[in-house]
Amino acid sequence: MAEEGGAVTKEYEEEQKQKIEAEKSMAPWEQHSAVISLPRFDYTAPSLILQHSHCGFLITCTIKREKSATKEVLSILEKYVDPFRNGDCDGLDSHEKNSTKRRRTCTEEIGRECLDLEETNSAIVNSGEVMTGKLSEGTHISPTKAETSSSGAFDLSLVKLTRSGLLLFTFPRNELVDTVDIVSNIIESFEAGKSSPIWCHRIFPIQATCRLNEKELQEVVSTLVKKFVANKQNHLGHPLKFAVGYNRRGIEETKLPKENADSSSDYSLLDRNTCFGVVASAVRHVVEDSIVDLKCPELSILVEWLPLSGLPTGSIIVAVSVLPINVVSTKPRLCIKALTSNTKQRPGPQ
């Protein structure tokens, strides 16, 4: 018996030794993925965002801590996304509304819920869209498996950016989610005393995306302002007070054609004042009785440059949201409220 016990111990020690040697031979990212499950980048997302409006979340985080921030923000979003699924995200495309995912669940006699896989697969093939799920290192989740996931955050795609200190997650374009209410609840929970995140600084709720040109930006802003006013028409003052914010993080890393940057109207909105003028014009077109108030706006329109990796040279995509006062701060500038009180003391974009 003693000999058998000694043999087992020796065999176990040998296995552990081999495991340690294998870990030493692993690349750093392989060692990291063995401990932390992280989603892969969805490399189809930039082209889809270029073609259609999407909603999602843009997160600012500590530079060189993007992997830790990714894991942290996913754990946060998984707790808040589900209750707000299938809301009217942006209302920008009637075709998108009519082609929402054809999920059908049925309850068998024994009480178990099942997914009609044949109908789901047919919907995917007919729409021609790429359905993505949350992918861990070394693991692929098929569209069907992603559909059956019970977690709303599993439908989020991680999009590769050209700037450090930023994370971008988007929903499939047919997924209608009230991102503003999600972020509002997250901020409220942290303000109520919930333990603050370590790596994530701010979560910007993206209601819509568009190309940075006057026509598309005005259309998006007008649609979102109409929705905001319709939802809060009995609680707005006269005149309506609004403010506009414009963040261009990542513009330095974005390649723009030098010969067209100065002359083309497509690049005129790179100027802050020009962009502010276009947004303000769209607001006044919807609400004639409105004025700019940077101290206490009833609604804030935030435009965020998205430094997407893999876009054609010269293509510029921005995220747009119309936000209530409870999720923004106006000092020292207009921005989303921080998730933690000591964000300013941490490195990385604010």
Side-chain angles (χ1 to χ4, degrees):
M1 292 293 292
E3 292 180 358
E4 289 182 5
V8 172
T9 302
K10 187 175 181 180
E11 182 179 351
Y12 174 78
E13 291 177 350
E14 185 65 26
E15 289 179 356
Q16 293 300 309
K17 184 177 179 180
Q18 293 176 359
K19 183 178 180 181
I20 292 174
E21 291 298 325
E23 289 180 350
K24 287 182 180 180
S25 64
M26 293 170 66
W29 59 86
E30 292 175 324
Q31 296 178 34
H32 189 83
S33 65
V35 179
I36 300 178
S37 178
L38 291 171
R40 295 178 183 273
F41 287 118
D42 179 1
Y43 291 102
T44 65
S47 61
L48 294 175
I49 295 173
L50 187 63
Q51 298 170 24
H52 305 284
S53 176
H54 283 65
C55 55
F57 305 97
L58 180 67
I59 297 94
T60 62
C61 64
T62 304
I63 292 177
K64 296 184 179 180
R65 290 293 184 269
E66 288 83 1
K67 290 184 177 180
S68 297
T70 299
K71 182 176 176 64
E72 185 176 61
V73 76
L74 283 176
S75 67
I76 294 173
L77 292 176
E78 284 175 352
K79 299 175 183 178
Y80 292 90
V81 168
D82 274 337
F84 296 93
R85 302 291 291 277
N86 300 321
D88 186 4
C89 178
D90 51 39
L92 297 177
D93 191 339
S94 59
H95 174 71
E96 292 181 15
K97 288 183 178 180
N98 295 330
S99 60
T100 52
K101 285 177 287 190
R102 297 166 58 193
R103 301 182 192 180
R104 181 167 66 85
T105 58
C106 60
T107 305
E108 298 179 348
E109 292 181 359
I110 58 176
R112 293 182 303 175
E113 291 186 352
C114 65
L115 182 69
D116 188 277
L117 300 179
E118 181 177 358
E119 184 177 3
T120 301
N121 290 333
S122 176
I124 294 172
V125 173
N126 292 336
S127 64
E129 294 176 4
V130 178
M131 305 286 293
T132 58
K134 178 183 174 184
L135 303 180
S136 301
E137 287 289 344
T139 305
H140 175 73
I141 298 180
S142 67
T144 301
K145 187 173 181 180
E147 285 294 318
T148 62
S149 170
S150 61
S151 174
F154 275 51
D155 281 345
L156 288 167
S157 293
L158 177 60
V159 186
K160 187 175 179 61
L161 302 176
T162 59
R163 180 183 171 91
S164 301
L166 290 176
L167 301 172
L168 175 61
F169 290 93
T170 60
F171 289 97
R173 78 180 185 98
N174 287 334
E175 189 76 17
L176 304 178
V177 182
D178 194 336
T179 55
V180 175
D181 274 356
I182 291 172
V183 172
S184 177
N185 278 270
I186 292 173
I187 292 174
E188 183 179 344
S189 66
F190 286 122
E191 288 180 339
K194 184 178 179 180
S195 180
S196 299
I198 300 174
W199 310 113
C200 298
H201 300 165
R202 289 178 167 86
I203 302 178
F204 174 68
I206 300 173
Q207 289 183 294
T209 58
C210 69
R211 296 172 185 264
L212 186 61
N213 61 61
E214 184 173 343
K215 180 181 178 181
E216 290 193 30
L217 184 59
Q218 281 191 331
E219 289 178 353
V220 169
V221 172
S222 296
T223 300
L224 295 178
V225 170
K226 286 178 182 178
K227 176 185 173 183
F228 184 95
V229 172
N231 291 338
K232 299 180 180 292
Q233 56 184 344
N234 297 326
H235 305 282
L236 299 176
H238 299 281
L240 175 67
K241 299 177 181 179
F242 72 94
V244 182
Y246 182 24
N247 283 318
R248 301 181 299 174
R249 288 180 285 244
I251 189 173
E252 299 85 0
E253 294 86 355
T254 303
K255 295 181 180 180
L256 300 175
K258 294 182 179 179
E259 63 274 12
N260 297 326
D262 297 327
S263 59
S264 175
S265 59
D266 290 340
Y267 300 103
S268 62
L269 296 188
L270 295 177
D271 178 71
R272 290 183 183 276
N273 291 331
T274 304
C275 184
F276 289 159
V278 169
V279 174
S281 175
V283 175
R284 293 192 175 103
H285 179 73
V286 176
V287 184
E288 294 183 1
D289 187 17
S290 59
I291 60 173
V292 174
D293 187 332
L294 300 180
K295 294 183 179 180
C296 190
E298 295 175 88
L299 67 86
S300 300
I301 303 95
L302 294 188
V303 179
E304 288 273 352
W305 176 294
L306 296 181
L308 302 174
S309 175
L311 285 181
T313 301
S315 297
I316 305 173
I317 301 295
V318 292
V320 185
S321 285
V322 175
L323 307 169
I325 187 63
N326 65 299
V327 299
V328 300
S329 58
T330 57
K331 294 181 180 180
R333 61 183 180 83
L334 184 65
C335 62
I336 292 290
K337 284 184 178 179
L339 301 180
T340 177
S341 58
N342 62 340
T343 299
K344 292 183 179 180
Q345 280 71 45
R346 296 178 176 177
Q350 304 299 313

